[in-house]
């Protein structure tokens, strides 16, 4: 199975999962780039999967469906107006002969969900490399709980987050704890990647346990302190 990013806006990645013939689009915030990608790669569209309701994740759905009108859309109840299939925590479904497991990962939005396909995690804005999403709901417990769910996944699980925020997240981590060599080393590596305009994703759960302050937070109070500090960074 191939998994490739299509760049969108200033820092979004629209992930495309394909088997060489058919593809799945994850969170098409805009349509032009991903439609061009499908044309270039001669792919048919098997499905669209959505993690949450923000426009930079769903804004391109209608235009994609205009070209591929029979395409099923999977998403949480907060995207119900776009869904053919509404899914929730604990659900499983099959696409391209792969099983997708659904996890509730709220906090960024009320009904944010993530999808695990084998060892590939599509987590929208719930988990970033070196960080996590802003808690727009104010429900820090939900976001903290989501991080504990991610933390419990096997180290080899790959993290396909939806934004290129890694460098900023690691600058924050390094300034928060300049004595930790993991942050300094990771920041140097990421800066070299970004200087070449290379994606820093996917990461892995194992890597994130080493470089992600938010995954390392031992309790809710510590997480809230970190998240508020990151909001103001």
């Amino acid at each position: 199975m191939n998994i490739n990013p299509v760049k969108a806006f200033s820092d979004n990645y629209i992930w495309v999962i394909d088997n060489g013939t058919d593809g799945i689009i994850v969170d098409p915030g805009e349509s032009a780039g991903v439609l061009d990608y499908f044309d270039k790669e001669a792919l048919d569209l098997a499905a669209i999967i959505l993690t949450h309701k923000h426009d930079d994740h769903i804004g391109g759905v209608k235009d994609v469906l205009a070209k591929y009108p029979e395409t099923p859309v999977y998403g949480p109840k907060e995207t119900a107006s776009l869904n053919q299939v509404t899914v929730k925590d604990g659900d499983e479904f099959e696409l391209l002969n792969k099983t997708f497991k659904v996890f509730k990962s709220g906090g960024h939005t009320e009904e944010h969900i993530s999808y695990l396909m084998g060892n590939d995690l599509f987590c929208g804005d719930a988990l970033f490399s070196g960080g996590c999403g802003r808690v727009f709901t104010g429900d820090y417990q939900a976001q903290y709980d989501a991080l504990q769910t991610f933390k419990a996944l096997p180290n080899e699980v790959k993290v396909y987050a939806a934004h290129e925020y890694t460098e900023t997240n690691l600058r924050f981590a390094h300034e928060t704890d300049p004595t930790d060599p993991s942050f300094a080393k990771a920041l140097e590596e990421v800066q070299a990647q970004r200087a070449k305009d290379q994606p820093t994703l996917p990461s892995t759960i194992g890597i994130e346990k080493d470089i992600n302050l938010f995954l390392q937070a031992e309790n809710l109070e510590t997480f809230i302190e970190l998240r508020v500090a990151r909001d103001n960074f």
Side-chain angles (χ1 to χ4, degrees):
M1 197 69 72
N2 308 305
I3 304 174
N4 290 296
V6 175
K7 294 180 181 179
F9 307 112
S10 61
D11 52 37
N12 282 65
Y13 292 132
I14 300 170
W15 294 102
V16 176
I17 309 161
D18 78 83
N19 61 9
T21 304
D22 299 293
I24 300 164
I25 301 173
V26 184
D27 285 354
E30 62 181 8
S31 61
V34 76
L35 289 175
D36 286 347
Y37 182 88
F38 269 67
D39 286 344
K40 178 183 174 185
E41 300 296 324
L43 296 172
D44 289 325
L45 183 57
I48 296 169
I49 62 175
L50 306 175
T51 62
H52 66 290
K53 65 184 179 181
H54 286 159
D55 195 55
D56 65 320
H57 292 253
I58 66 171
V61 171
K62 290 181 179 179
D63 285 344
V64 172
L65 291 177
K67 183 168 183 179
Y68 299 97
E70 303 303 317
T71 303
V73 180
Y74 295 75
K77 65 182 181 180
E78 68 183 23
T79 63
S81 64
L82 296 170
N83 300 345
Q84 274 69 55
V85 184
T86 296
V87 292
K88 63 184 186 306
D89 185 60
D91 285 351
E92 296 185 7
F93 57 91
E94 297 266 333
L95 291 171
L96 303 184
N97 295 315
K98 295 288 187 178
T99 300
F100 287 73
K101 299 179 180 180
V102 181
F103 295 88
K104 178 76 177 287
S105 47
H108 185 67
T109 64
E110 290 85 352
E111 300 297 333
H112 193 299
I113 57 175
S114 299
Y115 301 89
L116 185 66
M117 180 192 77
N119 280 332
D120 299 311
L121 176 69
F122 301 92
C123 48
D125 289 357
L127 179 67
F128 299 126
S129 185
C132 70
R134 286 178 180 261
V135 185
F136 290 118
T137 62
D139 189 348
Y140 290 91
Q141 183 71 61
Q143 182 65 67
Y144 181 74
D145 290 345
L147 293 175
Q148 305 321 298
T149 298
F150 297 140
K151 194 174 180 178
L153 294 172
N155 286 344
E156 61 268 22
V157 167
K158 293 181 180 180
V159 176
Y160 294 88
H163 289 273
E164 184 56 74
Y165 289 162
T166 314
E167 183 175 352
T168 304
N169 287 333
L170 290 175
R171 284 196 295 106
F172 169 73
H174 183 51
E175 290 190 21
T176 300
D177 186 0
T179 65
D180 191 324
S182 297
F183 299 145
K185 181 175 182 290
L187 178 58
E188 184 178 345
E189 290 172 353
V190 162
Q191 286 173 332
Q193 286 177 289
R194 296 307 298 150
K196 299 174 184 176
D197 197 32
Q198 295 174 347
T200 63
L201 298 165
S203 180
T204 69
I205 293 296
I207 290 170
E208 292 309 307
K209 287 178 181 177
D210 287 337
I211 68 169
N212 193 317
L213 277 175
F214 301 94
L215 272 188
Q216 294 173 4
E218 294 184 354
N219 53 57
L220 179 61
E221 182 181 6
T222 301
F223 169 68
I224 294 172
E225 290 174 359
L226 285 168
R227 187 59 258 178
V228 171
R230 176 65 178 86
D231 289 347
N232 295 308
F233 181 69

